[in-house]
Amino acid sequence: MKLLYAICGAAAFCLASCGSKETDTLTVEVKNSLDFDRTEIVTLKRNDIAALLKTGREEDIRIKNSTSTAYLPLQWIDYDKDGRSDELLFQATVKAGKITTYSIVTDAETAQPKSKITTYSRFVPERTDDYTWENDKVAFRVYGPTGQKEALAGVAGSTLSSGVDIWLKRTDKPIINKWYAEHAKAAGYYHTDHGEGYDPYHVGNSRGTGGSGIWDKDSLYVSENYVSYKTIAEGPLRTVFELEYAAWGPYGTTETKRVSLDLGSHFSKFEVTVGSEKPLPNYTVGITLQDNKGIAEVNTKQGWYRHWEQIDDAFVGEGLVMAQSQTDSAFVRKSDVKDQSNLLVVNKPADKIVYYAGFAWQKSGAVKTVSDWDKMLQRQAQTVANPLQVTVK
C-alpha cells in the first residue's frame, strides 16, 4: 500500500512538473484587416518572447498553429552578428478579416521542421561578382565592382549598371547555384529555358526592375555598380543583405541598400539609407521600358506602378510599390536612346526610402493577364499599407 501511495505521489509530481510546459507557452494572435486571405512572414522581436528565452534556448523555440500539433518552420536573424538573434520569423496564414492564433513553446526534444522551399542569396565570384537572390517565386541579381572594371576595359559579357536584373522562374525550387554551375560549363546556359525558366531580361544602363537614381533637369543621374556587400540572412523564410554604392552624380549621392525577400512573395523590399554632399532634389526609382513596346501605368493614388511586356513567347509584369506619402510624382519617360526609357517614380528627398520591386511571369502560372498583374500590385500596396497586426500574450 505504501508503494502504491509512493507511485501515485510520483505520478502527481510528474503531472505537475510536466504540466509546467503549458506555463512556458506564449500566444500570438495575427489579425488580417483586409478583405482577402494572406500568407505572410511574421516578425517577432526578441523582446516579444523574452519570457521563454529566460528558461529556454533559441534553438528550442517552436511555433505551431493553436489548432494543430505540427510545428512550423521558423528562422532566427542576428543582424549585428553578436551571437544573439534579434528577430524570430514564421509564416502565418490568416483568412480575410480574421484572426489566427499561434502558440510559441520550448521543446528541446522535437526536431525543428525544415521548409521544403526556401529563400536564398549570395555573392557570386564565379560570375565576376554578381549578387543574386531568390525565393520560391522570383529571382534577381545586381552587378559588382569587378564587373564594372571589366566593362570599362571592354571585356565581353561584363556589365556596368546599377539596374536590377530579373530571372524568370517557373519552379519553386532554388535555381541560383544550378544555373551558375551550368553557365560555368556552357556560357549562356541560363539565357535558354531548360524547363525551370531563364534570363532573357535586358538591363544595360536602364533601371531594370527597381534601380534608383536622381532626376534633375530632365536627366536621370545613376550610380555605378555596388562597391561592397554584406549577407545578413540566407533563409529559409527571409533572405537579407546590404549593398553599398560609392558617391556618384552632381550631388555626391551615396546609398546603402538593405534588400530582403520573403518566402512566397513576388516583391523584394528595398530599405535605402541615402546620403549626399549637397541637398538632394529627390530620390527616384524606375522600371525599364525596354524598347517601348510594353504598356505602363502610373497609379500614384494607390501607390503602385506597372509595366507589362512580352518577352519571347510570354508576358512579364514588372512593378513598384511605395507609400504615397513619400512620392512626389511619377511618369513614363520614353527615349530614342537605348536603355534610357524608364517608368520613373520621383520621391521626396529623405534620409531613408522604402519601396518594393517585383515581377510575375506568365509561364510561372502566377498571372495570365495584365489585369492579374494589376490585382497583384494592388494587393501588395494594400498589404504594405495594412500589415498583419501581431499581438503576443
Side-chain angles (χ1 to χ4, degrees):
M1 184 64 68
K2 290 182 179 179
L3 177 61
L4 178 60
Y5 285 145
I7 293 173
C8 290
F13 174 80
C14 179
L15 286 172
S17 61
C18 292
S20 68
K21 187 174 182 180
E22 292 299 319
T23 65
D24 292 336
T25 300
L26 292 176
T27 298
V28 181
E29 292 183 349
V30 184
K31 181 179 180 180
N32 174 12
S33 62
L34 297 177
D35 61 358
F36 53 87
D37 299 348
R38 296 164 67 177
T39 297
E40 296 171 23
I41 304 303
V42 169
T43 301
L44 301 175
K45 299 296 185 183
R46 187 182 186 88
N47 286 343
D48 294 334
I49 57 173
L52 290 184
L53 292 174
K54 287 180 180 179
T55 57
R57 303 174 301 171
E58 289 180 9
E59 55 265 39
D60 297 335
I61 298 295
R62 303 288 182 265
I63 298 178
K64 61 182 178 179
N65 188 306
S66 295
T67 62
S68 172
T69 59
Y71 291 136
L72 299 172
L74 54 80
Q75 177 184 351
W76 289 94
I77 298 183
D78 180 4
Y79 284 98
D80 54 12
K81 303 298 183 184
D82 65 351
R84 187 172 180 269
S85 296
D86 304 298
E87 295 179 348
L88 177 62
L89 313 179
F90 71 97
Q91 190 175 58
T93 298
V94 193
K95 295 288 187 181
K98 300 294 184 180
I99 295 175
T100 301
T101 303
Y102 294 87
S103 297
I104 309 179
V105 301
T106 55
D107 184 349
E109 298 179 1
T110 306
Q112 172 63 44
K114 294 183 179 181
S115 177
K116 295 180 181 179
I117 51 179
T118 189
T119 67
Y120 182 64
S121 70
R122 75 174 176 95
F123 174 66
V124 188
E126 66 267 34
R127 218 303 295 195
T128 317
D129 51 1
D130 296 348
Y131 197 98
T132 310
W133 66 104
E134 68 175 321
N135 64 5
D136 52 321
K137 305 293 184 182
V138 290
F140 304 80
R141 72 169 165 176
V142 288
Y143 309 100
T146 302
Q148 176 177 317
K149 292 178 182 178
E150 291 183 354
L152 293 173
V155 176
S158 54
T159 305
L160 173 58
S161 176
S162 58
V164 179
D165 191 20
I166 61 176
W167 281 10
L168 309 182
K169 290 180 62 170
R170 50 175 169 153
T171 175
D172 61 3
K173 302 297 188 295
I175 52 86
I176 287 174
N177 289 337
K178 178 181 178 181
W179 288 11
Y180 275 117
E182 294 298 332
H183 175 75
K185 298 174 188 175
Y189 172 88
Y190 51 68
H191 294 302
T192 300
D193 189 348
H194 299 275
E196 297 176 316
Y198 68 133
D199 173 25
Y201 192 73
H202 173 75
V203 177
N205 198 37
S206 75
R207 296 303 77 210
T209 299
S212 55
I214 304 296
W215 179 253
D216 190 27
K217 298 175 183 177
D218 202 34
S219 294
L220 183 66
Y221 296 95
V222 300
S223 66
E224 296 179 328
N225 299 22
Y226 75 80
V227 294
S228 65
Y229 73 92
K230 178 171 70 173
T231 303
I232 297 171
E234 295 179 4
L237 302 180
R238 174 178 294 162
T239 187
V240 187
F241 59 94
E242 287 185 353
L243 302 171
E244 294 280 353
Y245 290 83
W248 51 271
Y251 296 92
T253 308
T254 58
E255 299 167 287
T256 300
K257 295 183 177 181
R258 175 170 287 185
V259 185
S260 58
L261 178 62
D262 285 0
L263 193 72
S265 178
H266 284 80
F267 298 87
S268 291
K269 181 181 182 181
F270 289 75
E271 299 172 273
V272 188
T273 302
V274 186
S276 62
E277 297 171 359
K278 303 176 183 177
L280 291 173
N282 57 68
Y283 185 83
T284 298
V285 184
I287 302 172
T288 180
L289 303 181
Q290 303 288 2
D291 297 321
N292 297 316
K293 294 179 180 178
I295 51 175
E297 181 168 334
V298 169
N299 194 324
T300 305
K301 184 177 181 180
Q302 295 185 358
W304 58 264
Y305 310 87
R306 177 259 288 162
H307 187 233
W308 178 259
E309 63 176 318
Q310 183 171 352
I311 299 180
D312 296 332
D313 60 347
F315 283 86
V316 181
E318 303 100 7
L320 301 171
V321 171
M322 58 195 74
Q324 183 183 4
S325 59
Q326 75 178 28
T327 302
D328 179 76
S329 61
F331 58 95
V332 173
R333 186 206 187 201
K334 293 186 177 182
S335 173
D336 294 330
V337 179
K338 185 175 178 58
D339 299 336
Q340 295 306 303
S341 292
N342 292 281
L343 187 163
L344 298 175
V345 183
V346 181
N347 293 279
K348 301 167 187 175
D351 294 335
K352 189 169 185 177
I353 298 290
V354 178
Y355 64 94
Y356 296 77
F359 67 95
W361 184 34
Q362 250 184 355
K363 285 190 175 182
S364 73
V367 295
K368 293 182 179 179
T369 66
V370 65
S371 296
D372 293 339
W373 179 227
D374 287 355
K375 184 177 181 180
M376 189 180 290
L377 283 163
Q378 182 178 357
R379 286 192 169 188
Q380 177 68 16
Q382 290 178 279
T383 294
V384 171
N386 301 275
L388 293 171
Q389 300 169 32
V390 181
T391 304
V392 181
K393 298 180 179 180

